[in-house]
Amino acid sequence: MRRQAMVMATALLLAGTAIAAPQGAGTEAGVVHAEFWPAAKTPAAISDPKTEARINALIKKMTVEQKVGQLVQADISTITPKDLETYPLGSILAGGNSGPGGNERSSAADWAKLVGDFRAVSLRPQANGVAIPIIFGVDAVHGHNNIPGATLFPHNIGLGAARDPELIQRIGAVTAAEIAGSGIEWTFAPTLAVPQDLRWGRSYEGYASDPKLIAEYAKAMVLGLQGPLVAGRSVDGTHVAATAKHFLADGGTFEGKDQGDAKVDEKELIAKHAMGYPAAIDAGALTVMASFSSWQGVKHHGNKGLLTDALKKKMGFEGFVVGDWNGHGQVAGCSVTDCAQSINAGLDMFMAPDSWKGLYETTLKHAKDGTIPAVRLDDAVRRILRVKYKLGLFTEGHVNRGNFAAVGAPDHLAVAREAVSKSLVLLKNNGNILPIKPGANVLVAGPGADNMAMQSGGWTISWQGTDVVRSDFPNGQTIWEALNKAVGDAGGKAALSADGSFTNKPDVAIVVFGEAPYAEFQGDVATLDYQPSDATDLATLKKLKAAGVPVVALFLSGRPMFTNPEINAADAFVAGWLPGSQAAGVADVLVAGRDGKTARAFTGSLPFAWPSDARSPVEKPQFAVGYGLKYGETSRVPKLSEELGVDITKALNVENFFSGGRARAPWVLTVTDAGGSRPVESGPMTSPGGLVASRSVDVRAQEDGKSFVWTGPAALHLSGPYADLSRQLNNSFALRIDWRIDAPASAPVSIALGGRAFDISSLIKAAPQGKVSTIKVPLRCFADAGANLRQVDYALTVQADKGFATTLLNTNVEAVGENLACPPAVK
């Protein structure tokens, strides 16, 4: 009866039928009425009486220190296996910028050794005979994206365009086999977000805007990753634990702000954002991850109504709830090293990448003094142990993982190639320019044509994916390579020209362009306008059209964007999303063979509405959800409006302060010395006071640096409007300066952010003179010194005296995968 009620409630919500809210629902901010939520139930096969008896016996033997340890997860960049001898932590993760030994490009064998080293220490019996294995987790979100040569799938938005749950289950199985093949047993996937505002930098992690499709995919992906749970048997060595995330409404925040607030009522919260979770739970998802975000102003990491009453009680979830990266630190009254509130709300495991030591100590104190009740502590430990037993991590019944040959296996790559083909969406094909005819002379152009990073997107090798190179995926193809082979196989010729220039006029040009890689809030944008300034890609399209060359535009992006000018400038326009490493799947659809037929046809359709202007949320779609042309259709797209519909000048850049030889808007470069305070002009500048020279110089590219010489005491500033860097602070970011030290300092040199300064003289002295070097100072250093990172108007101040000279190349804040110390503070 309970399952029938859940199915009926879910069906009514998905169909848009109103379900009466309980009396008083929505009158208090962030208050949950559990009876209004759909029912679900973790399969009984998650455990069995024999296992539960083992868990009971183990909990009785455990010390409070051992119990608290199970609740804490640390990142490999800040902990060693030896640390587990003192701190009995329950879990280890490798964040997006972390790799074994600090090497992001480690092999499957390297990963397996690292996991084994941590697990071996955790399995050494303590004085009371207790030995509990760690559980090791990674973000494998579009294949095992942490390892070069692994099978890389399109990001979720592309998979949503495929509308194929059976394919999703196969993708889950392939991904699991490769994760397990590197000795790892837990992935932080799938993402069940339902993005509502595409300005959100994580939009591509959502499959679609349709909650029904999310529910279908949730079931399929969980079953693919874990396999069906079987009573009395562990998850086998080719499968891993899934994580349904991020609970809840991470895709529903106001104005699409990552880690922001969902300002919706409870009925909308359930109907739009919760529907993937009952499906995932019924399929046996072993873990759920809490969202950074909040609902009606209450952070999910501290919302007992959501984590306990809705998720664990009404939705019957019996696995464990893990936090997101220091997400507990955003709960009211908490810090990253002290947050009993989260555990009491229903969080079972803190994700404390760099805060684990202090958090362990305070949580232990709270457990001993009763702030965290013993029953809540034991419940969290029980849930964690249940999952560890189901994964076969204990010595008794241990499941081996580590089939290195599974990583990048040929049959896996074939599934990825299929997924790429099915993800493509044809928006325009005037004159039936596609498919490319056999024997054609084809020009392939654009910044994305031969760019593995652009086609793969964020969460590839590193968190942001910006440093991906072709050699990272030797078993893959760039789009140019795939097109070149297909065109040649069909009897034609292809040429690569990034800027679209040519000597011999081609029969057709394929221009590949789109968004640079990004992840999470670094992808948040102010509007949906593509290339609001320096519209170089549009210029390439127009140049080719003016030369009389038919043009196909292949757009790589993590979301639909306002591209009407680009659509107008092209004869055909394809939404390629972020296809990953198997670009042969693109050529399978775009290029006809010698018989005039393509290997695969266009079958994809839009998972989100495509905007008619730069505003978001999309109110007037240019192309509706489900739109997608097919070969043989004669539909012609007329000229589209190019009106933006929004003021794009209001975009605020809060992370990139200086690059390309200039300050990046809205930040301004100024100097303060005996002559007063004034802006630094773009050309040479002579100062009457102390910072006498400033000129643009070539270091790695044309005029990519600005040179400064101190002739007396002076300060160089990057200042702007108040910027909120609190999210970056909570995510372990650091201030980064790339510069060349041209002359050593004779007096102390300091840098400051938010008015709090640190002496970097020793770092300057150690830097190689005349060569580019990098300084990184964690944002936490500035915050701990008293800087208000919610209101930063001075992103950088460099204070020095006569004799110091430097050429500045780049200043930004970025995530770091290393444990950095703070320089000495300036008193």
Side-chain angles (χ1 to χ4, degrees):
M1 182 66 186
R2 184 179 188 185
R3 185 172 298 277
Q4 290 176 340
M6 181 277 290
V7 172
M8 181 171 292
T10 302
L12 290 171
L13 285 166
L14 293 174
T17 304
I19 298 178
Q23 188 69 28
T27 58
E28 297 179 75
V31 174
V32 168
H33 301 80
E35 67 272 22
F36 192 40
W37 289 68
K41 181 65 178 174
T42 294
I46 191 175
S47 191
D48 56 78
K50 183 178 179 181
T51 299
E52 291 300 309
R54 288 175 179 166
I55 293 172
N56 288 337
L58 191 54
I59 289 176
K60 288 180 180 178
K61 292 177 65 176
M62 292 171 70
T63 65
V64 67
E65 288 81 4
Q66 290 168 331
K67 291 178 180 179
V68 167
Q70 290 301 300
L71 276 55
V72 181
Q73 180 187 68
D75 186 81
I76 61 172
S77 64
T78 66
I79 192 171
T80 65
K82 186 172 179 56
D83 288 326
L84 295 182
E85 296 175 358
T86 305
Y87 298 91
L89 303 194
S91 181
I92 305 295
L93 85 149
N97 287 329
S98 300
N103 179 16
E104 291 178 341
R105 289 170 168 78
S106 294
S107 67
D110 294 332
W111 282 97
K113 181 181 184 305
L114 177 73
V115 175
D117 289 346
F118 276 108
R119 184 156 295 133
V121 178
S122 68
L123 284 173
R124 294 175 190 165
Q126 302 299 302
N128 59 351
V130 169
I132 302 175
I134 56 98
I135 180 172
F136 195 103
V138 294
D139 285 286
V141 296
H142 64 131
H144 195 7
N145 44 263
N146 306 281
I147 296 182
T151 302
L152 206 62
F153 291 97
H155 271 292
N156 286 353
I157 192 170
L159 300 182
R163 297 179 183 274
D164 189 341
E166 186 274 336
L167 172 64
I168 297 305
Q169 185 163 340
R170 285 191 283 132
I171 289 172
V174 167
T175 302
E178 298 202 8
I179 298 168
S182 61
I184 299 170
E185 65 275 353
W186 182 19
T187 179
F188 305 136
T191 297
L192 304 180
V194 189
Q196 301 296 300
D197 190 323
L198 296 174
R199 291 176 292 182
W200 186 38
R202 304 190 79 157
S203 291
Y204 65 75
E205 296 186 49
Y207 293 114
S209 59
D210 177 10
K212 183 176 184 297
L213 184 62
I214 300 296
E216 292 174 356
Y217 273 25
K219 174 183 177 181
M221 185 58 80
V222 168
L223 288 175
L225 288 168
Q226 296 185 174
L229 300 185
V230 179
R233 285 171 48 188
S234 298
V235 172
D236 69 34
T238 65
H239 290 88
V240 299
T243 306
K245 71 178 189 182
H246 306 85
F247 191 78
L248 186 65
D250 48 338
T253 60
F254 181 62
E255 296 183 342
K257 185 177 181 181
D258 191 44
Q259 305 181 25
D261 186 34
K263 302 176 184 291
V264 299
D265 62 28
E266 191 172 7
K267 288 169 63 177
E268 182 175 344
L269 182 71
I270 298 168
K272 283 187 178 178
H273 300 286
M275 289 300 102
Y277 291 90
I281 292 167
D282 283 341
L286 293 174
T287 71
V288 169
M289 183 180 291
S291 176
F292 276 121
S293 58
S294 57
W295 172 50
Q296 296 181 352
V298 180
K299 284 291 180 179
H300 296 323
H301 277 68
N303 192 323
K304 185 176 181 179
L306 285 177
L307 298 183
T308 298
D309 299 337
L311 178 61
K312 292 182 175 179
K313 294 182 178 179
K314 187 63 185 291
M315 286 196 274
F317 177 62
E318 294 181 10
F320 72 82
V321 179
V322 64
D324 208 338
W325 191 279
N326 279 333
H328 55 278
Q330 299 185 27
V331 174
C334 287
S335 69
V336 296
T337 55
D338 191 350
C339 194
Q341 295 94 312
S342 280
I343 299 299
N344 288 337
L347 193 76
D348 300 309
M349 181 183 287
F350 293 111
M351 185 182 287
D354 56 353
S355 58
W356 59 269
K357 187 175 296 185
L359 186 63
Y360 170 82
E361 292 168 349
T362 59
T363 306
L364 179 60
K365 174 180 177 295
H366 293 315
K368 287 182 174 180
D369 67 17
T371 301
I372 297 175
V375 66
R376 171 78 270 266
L377 178 63
D378 285 356
D379 174 62
V381 172
R382 180 182 306 279
R383 290 169 176 272
I384 293 167
L385 295 181
R386 182 179 293 143
V387 171
K388 290 182 176 182
Y389 270 110
K390 196 62 182 177
L391 289 172
L393 301 183
F394 283 84
T395 302
E396 182 180 356
H398 181 73
V399 173
N400 291 316
R401 294 177 175 88
N403 177 17
F404 307 150
V407 178
D411 57 329
H412 295 175
L413 300 176
V415 177
R417 180 173 180 169
E418 175 189 348
V420 172
S421 294
K422 290 182 174 180
S423 72
L424 303 177
V425 180
L426 181 61
L427 300 186
K428 178 181 180 180
N429 194 22
N430 289 4
N432 291 324
I433 188 175
L434 287 174
I436 303 300
K437 309 302 185 287
N441 178 17
V442 181
L443 178 71
V444 182
D450 198 29
N451 191 320
M452 188 63 76
M454 277 187 67
Q455 69 187 57
S456 301
W459 292 111
T460 306
I461 303 299
S462 63
W463 179 34
Q464 295 297 314
T466 54
D467 58 348
V468 170
V469 294
R470 173 66 184 86
S471 59
D472 287 329
F473 295 96
N475 50 8
Q477 318 84 35
T478 65
I479 292 171
W480 150 250
E481 290 169 336
L483 292 174
N484 183 41
K485 183 179 187 304
V487 169
D489 288 348
K493 293 183 179 180
L496 176 65
S497 171
D499 64 0
S501 60
F502 58 84
T503 302
N504 298 317
K505 184 178 177 180
D507 298 323
V508 63
I510 302 176
V511 182
V512 188
F513 62 98
E515 293 187 288
Y518 57 82
E520 298 194 30
F521 56 85
Q522 294 205 41
D524 286 2
V525 293
T527 77
L528 293 182
D529 186 31
Y530 176 66
Q531 282 196 331
S533 61
D534 300 325
T536 53
D537 298 329
L538 178 60
T540 299
L541 295 170
K542 288 184 173 180
K543 178 176 69 174
L544 288 164
K545 283 290 287 182
V549 179
V551 177
V552 176
L554 176 57
F555 186 56
L556 305 177
S557 70
R559 56 193 143 206
M561 302 194 77
F562 177 61
T563 52
N564 281 9
E566 288 79 10
I567 294 173
N568 286 337
D571 298 282
F573 193 97
V574 179
W577 314 113
L578 302 169
S581 62
Q582 300 305 302
V586 174
D588 287 343
V589 178
L590 267 58
V591 182
R594 291 179 184 269
D595 61 357
K597 299 178 181 179
T598 58
R600 290 186 180 273
F602 277 104
T603 58
S605 60
L606 290 178
F608 296 91
W610 200 276
S612 60
D613 57 34
R615 288 175 289 190
S616 186
V618 178
E619 296 180 357
K620 297 180 179 180
Q622 190 66 65
F623 304 104
V625 172
Y627 175 89
L629 298 176
K630 307 293 186 288
Y631 282 142
E633 294 182 0
T634 57
S635 177
R636 183 176 181 85
V637 175
K639 183 176 181 179
L640 307 176
S641 169
E642 298 186 3
E643 292 296 322
L644 290 171
V646 66
D647 181 3
I648 64 171
T649 63
K650 296 181 179 179
L652 180 62
N653 156 38
V654 301
E655 292 187 352
N656 300 305
F657 312 128
F658 183 95
S659 64
R662 61 186 176 90
R664 293 293 172 177
W667 303 95
V668 178
L669 198 58
T670 61
V671 298
T672 302
D673 56 18
S677 182
R678 60 204 173 279
V680 175
E681 305 299 336
S682 57
M685 183 188 76
T686 300
S687 165
L691 194 55
V692 291
S694 171
R695 58 188 180 88
S696 296
V697 297
D698 299 347
V699 180
R700 294 168 172 161
Q702 186 176 6
E703 294 189 356
D704 63 337
K706 192 168 284 290
S707 180
F708 300 93
V709 178
W710 272 256
T711 60
L716 174 68
H717 309 284
L718 277 164
S719 60
Y722 283 121
D724 184 355
L725 297 181
S726 59
R727 291 186 299 169
Q728 289 80 355
L729 171 64
N730 289 331
N731 282 272
S732 307
F733 275 48
L735 172 67
R736 172 177 178 150
I737 304 171
D738 296 307
W739 55 7
R740 186 183 67 201
I741 306 302
D742 298 321
S746 58
V749 178
S750 67
I751 61 170
L753 181 147
R756 295 298 183 270
F758 290 87
D759 188 338
I760 59 167
S761 301
S762 61
L763 300 178
I764 297 288
K765 185 176 181 180
Q769 189 172 329
K771 296 182 179 180
V772 176
S773 60
T774 299
I775 287 177
K776 297 179 184 179
V777 178
L779 292 186
R780 187 155 304 284
C781 299
F782 300 103
D784 290 346
N788 179 5
L789 266 67
R790 291 188 179 277
Q791 289 188 312
V792 175
D793 55 353
Y794 281 86
L796 173 68
T797 295
V798 181
Q799 182 79 44
D801 207 337
K802 183 178 180 179
F804 182 56
T806 185
T807 298
L808 183 64
L809 281 84
N810 176 76
T811 304
N812 67 303
V813 292
E814 66 175 23
V816 292
E818 52 194 312
N819 198 17
L820 300 172
C822 299
V826 175
K827 303 299 183 181

